[in-house]
């Protein structure tokens, strides 16, 4: 009798323990007996959805949001355009913003709350001792299922941020977003170099024009663009396209600049007026006779080149004074005149290499008597004063001499940075000896 009673009590205890375990399991999977979705037969054969792989959108640099993982919820997002900031009550100081929506998948979504949180991926490295709210904030931390919150970016950041949406009544329903910052160009700085040496002999004026002193010396400085980048969690490579032009105040003709450099002076070079067609014929006769003249130990009869000499002298006598003063024609005439005097009409006179050398020497002696000035390897000026007048015209219009445009594509949008370079008015004044405050300077420059 006693054994039967003991056995009965043990059985009762075992049954109660089993029921307790079952109740515990049911309570766990029903979120405290609040959610019975997992016990719905329609859901028994559903395959689990694998975590979504975050993909970077093809957008411009800056904040970008991507779904990392969701469970029991549907997540939506869209980027809010700057034009809609006012309608969405987003402060103008916000750099960019996204609308985020988490809809809880449940039998009844009515009044179901969603709690939103923002945090660093971890608090070490770049994010150490930094408040995530200084970089990214939400307009509210709680909303109903299916309602939207606004994620706002206040400045660039260098550590990934995690945004989590949790169902208030079911911890097993949530969405996790990864918030990244794609590298962007904050501003463009420039370095001037002479060879490998960096140059600092310039000032940046109130119009953001880099100005060098003009002292009459020629220097050519290479311009190196130095983009200043934001903090970022996703790197990006930018391709640059650089074009240049002379400002219209400085040069009114074809104003394209072929090279990315700046010259702080002008190059003086000797200059010949263009030859006429007749003078060109005479010069070709010199080239022809030098092809026929002997080299090495060879000798030839003067009769072989006599016609070239006669034709040159005939053409030369019909040239204008301008053509005769051309350095190439003067040299050719000296060479032919020397040969005529050597031969003195003797067609059987033997020419040798000595005559060839002397003709080449005489041809090379004359130099152009005119000179002009070249700037940026493109523009030609008759005088330095003419060049400086152009520079003053630019300065009076608060412009530089050359302008460069640096273009790059970011998120399908063409971005443009510009820089301008010129000379200081004070240095030009010093060369000209003119009072820059005197409006009557024109007479000195004519």
């Amino acid at each position: 009798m006693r054994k039967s009673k003991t056995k009965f009590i043990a059985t009762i205890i075992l049954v109660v323990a089993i029921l307790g375990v079952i109740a515990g399991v049911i309570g766990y999977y029903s979120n405290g007996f609040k959610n019975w979705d997992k016990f719905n037969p329609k859901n028994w054969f559903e395959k689990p959805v694998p975590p979504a792989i975050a993909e970077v959108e093809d957008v411009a640099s800056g904040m970008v949001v991507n779904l990392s993982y969701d469970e029991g919820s549907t997540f939506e997002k869209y980027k809010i355009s700057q034009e809609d900031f006012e309608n969405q009550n987003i402060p103008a100081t916000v750099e960019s913003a996204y609308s985020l929506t988490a809809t809880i998948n449940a039998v009844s979504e009515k009044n179901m709350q969603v709690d939103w949180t923002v945090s660093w991926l971890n608090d070490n490295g770049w994010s150490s001792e930094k408040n995530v709210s200084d970089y990214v904030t939400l307009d509210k931390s709680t909303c109903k299922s299916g309602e939207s919150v606004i994620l706002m970016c206040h400045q660039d950041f260098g550590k990934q941020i995690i945004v989590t949406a949790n169902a208030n009544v079911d911890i097993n329903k949530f969405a996790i977003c990864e918030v990244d910052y794609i590298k962007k160009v904050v501003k463009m700085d420039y370095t001037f170099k002479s060879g490998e040496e960096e140059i600092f002999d310039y000032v940046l004026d109130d119009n953001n024009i880099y100005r060098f002193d003009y002292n009459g010396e020629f220097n050519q400085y290479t311009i190196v663009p130095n983009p200043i980048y934001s903090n970022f969690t996703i790197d990006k490579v930018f391709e640059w396209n650089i074009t240049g032009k002379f400002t219209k105040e400085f040069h009114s003709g074809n104003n394209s600049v072929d090279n990315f450099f700046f010259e702080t002076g002008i190059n003086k070079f000797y200059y010949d007026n263009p030859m006429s067609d007749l003078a060109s014929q005479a010069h070709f006769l010199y080239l022809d006779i030098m092809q026929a003249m002997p080299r090495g130990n060879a000798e030839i009869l003067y009769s072989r080149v006599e016609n070239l000499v006669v034709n040159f002298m005939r053409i030369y006598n019909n040239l204008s004074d301008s053509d005769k003063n051309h350095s190439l024609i003067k040299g050719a005439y000296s060479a032919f005149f020397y040969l005529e005097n050597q031969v003195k009409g003797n067609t059987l006179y033997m020419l040798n290499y000595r005559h060839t050398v002397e003709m080449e020497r005489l041809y090379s002696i004359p130099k152009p008597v005119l000179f002009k000035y070249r700037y940026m390897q493109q523009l030609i000026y008759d005088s330095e004063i003419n060049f400086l007048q152009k520079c003053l015209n630019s300065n009076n219009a608060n412009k530089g001499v050359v302008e460069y445009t640096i273009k790059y594509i970011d998120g399908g949008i063409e971005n443009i940075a510009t820089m301008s370079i010129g000379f200081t008015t004070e240095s030009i004044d010093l060369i000209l000896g003119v009072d820059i405050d005197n409006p009557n300077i024109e007479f000195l420059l004519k």
Side-chain angles (χ1 to χ4, degrees):
M1 182 74 176
R2 183 176 295 175
K3 286 184 178 180
S4 297
K5 186 177 180 180
T6 301
K7 192 173 183 179
F8 175 76
I9 294 173
T11 302
I12 293 298
I13 294 172
L14 179 61
V15 170
V16 171
I18 292 172
L19 290 175
V21 171
I22 293 173
V25 172
I26 293 173
Y28 176 79
Y29 283 103
S30 65
N31 194 26
F33 306 102
K34 297 177 182 178
N35 189 335
W36 301 95
D37 287 355
K38 291 183 175 64
F39 299 92
N40 188 338
K42 294 181 180 180
N43 299 328
W44 290 355
F45 302 102
E46 287 187 358
K47 295 181 179 180
V49 179
I53 299 174
E55 296 181 356
V56 177
E57 298 174 340
D58 182 21
V59 297
S61 298
M63 182 179 72
V64 61
V65 180
N66 284 289
L67 176 66
S68 175
Y69 182 76
D70 62 352
E71 177 69 35
S73 65
T74 301
F75 177 79
E76 297 177 89
K77 59 161 186 179
Y78 74 86
K79 189 172 185 179
I80 302 173
S81 67
Q82 293 276 349
E83 292 77 12
D84 288 337
F85 274 20
E86 185 174 356
N87 294 333
Q88 300 271 11
N89 294 320
I90 300 172
T93 55
V94 169
E95 182 182 296
S96 61
Y98 274 81
S99 173
L100 309 179
T101 307
T103 303
I104 305 303
N105 301 331
V107 174
S108 175
E109 301 172 6
K110 187 176 181 180
N111 297 326
M112 188 171 287
Q113 297 292 311
V114 179
D115 296 329
W116 295 84
T117 59
V118 177
S119 63
W120 296 116
L121 175 65
N122 53 59
D123 281 336
N124 53 41
W126 187 91
S127 59
S128 177
E129 299 183 0
K130 290 184 174 70
N131 295 321
V132 70
S133 58
D134 291 336
Y135 300 87
V136 168
T137 57
L138 293 163
D139 68 331
K140 51 181 173 282
S141 59
T142 302
C143 68
K144 291 182 180 180
S145 172
E147 289 185 348
S148 299
V149 298
I150 296 176
L151 180 69
M152 295 171 285
C153 177
H154 302 282
Q155 59 179 312
D156 53 296
F157 50 90
K159 175 61 70 70
Q160 192 178 71
I161 294 172
I162 302 299
V163 175
T164 304
N166 285 297
N168 183 274
V169 298
D170 187 352
I171 61 173
N172 296 308
K173 295 183 185 295
F174 58 87
I176 298 175
C177 299
E178 295 174 343
V179 183
D180 285 287
Y181 200 95
I182 303 176
K183 182 168 73 174
K184 71 186 298 185
V185 179
V186 177
K187 69 172 185 174
M188 193 74 73
D189 281 347
Y190 304 91
T191 299
F192 297 88
K193 287 189 173 183
S194 176
E196 295 300 319
E197 180 185 0
E198 189 170 348
I199 302 300
F200 300 95
D201 298 335
Y202 61 85
V203 293
L204 188 61
D205 70 9
D206 294 339
N207 297 301
N208 287 321
I209 301 172
Y210 294 84
R211 293 197 181 275
F212 289 83
D213 283 337
Y214 182 87
N215 58 15
E217 295 180 2
F218 176 83
N219 291 292
Q220 187 182 92
Y221 297 146
T222 302
I223 307 166
V224 181
N226 298 315
I228 306 302
Y229 295 110
S230 65
N231 294 304
F232 60 90
T233 61
I234 297 177
D235 201 355
K236 187 172 188 176
V237 177
F238 296 92
E239 294 185 0
W240 312 97
N241 175 261
I242 302 173
T243 57
K245 65 178 181 179
F246 297 106
T247 60
K248 65 181 182 185
E249 292 80 8
F250 176 73
H251 180 68
S252 58
N254 179 16
N255 63 352
S256 63
V257 178
D258 299 331
N259 300 289
F260 197 40
F261 58 71
F262 183 72
E263 292 180 350
T264 62
I266 50 180
N267 257 331
K268 181 178 179 180
F269 66 98
Y270 287 100
Y271 175 80
D272 271 317
N273 287 319
M275 287 190 293
S276 68
D277 291 341
L278 193 60
S280 296
Q281 292 179 31
H283 187 251
F284 281 129
L285 289 173
Y286 168 78
L287 299 178
D288 288 342
I289 198 172
M290 296 313 296
Q291 287 288 330
M293 289 295 289
R295 304 284 170 174
N297 296 322
E299 293 184 334
I300 63 171
L301 289 172
Y302 171 69
S303 58
R304 289 183 55 182
V305 297
E306 182 182 17
N307 287 338
L308 294 174
V309 176
V310 172
N311 288 335
F312 175 86
M313 291 302 184
R314 176 179 55 80
I315 293 175
Y316 179 82
N317 289 331
N318 289 290
L319 293 179
S320 66
D321 290 341
S322 176
D323 279 336
K324 288 180 178 179
N325 284 322
H326 195 288
S327 61
L328 298 181
I329 297 300
K330 290 169 70 174
Y333 176 78
S334 296
F336 278 107
F337 185 78
Y338 158 78
L339 197 59
E340 268 195 330
N341 277 278
Q342 289 291 305
V343 174
K344 297 186 184 336
N346 180 9
T347 58
L348 298 179
Y349 186 90
M350 295 299 295
L351 301 176
N352 55 42
Y353 185 52
R354 175 179 60 84
H355 299 96
T356 305
V357 171
E358 182 62 13
M359 289 180 70
E360 289 176 337
R361 187 189 70 81
L362 292 169
Y363 172 78
S364 65
I365 291 175
K367 302 296 180 186
V369 295
L370 305 176
F371 58 85
K372 292 194 176 185
Y373 298 86
R374 181 182 288 110
Y375 184 61
M376 293 291 286
Q377 300 182 4
Q378 294 178 239
L379 305 182
I380 305 298
Y381 296 94
D382 292 329
S383 68
E384 186 178 24
I385 288 180
N386 181 234
F387 168 75
L388 292 175
Q389 173 66 76
K390 300 292 186 181
C391 294
L392 280 177
N393 291 343
S394 299
N395 289 12
N396 291 336
N398 294 319
K399 297 287 186 178
V401 170
V402 294
E403 292 178 347
Y404 288 101
T405 300
I406 299 92
K407 297 180 181 179
Y408 61 96
I409 303 298
D410 188 355
I413 301 173
E414 184 178 71
N415 293 267
I416 297 176
T418 59
M419 63 99 66
S420 185
I421 319 173
F423 297 100
T424 62
T425 301
E426 293 79 7
S427 66
I428 297 174
D429 168 51
L430 189 62
I431 296 293
L432 293 175
V434 178
D435 182 358
I436 59 174
D437 294 322
N438 182 357
N440 301 313
I441 65 171
E442 287 290 330
F443 75 95
L444 291 171
L445 304 172
K446 291 181 180 178

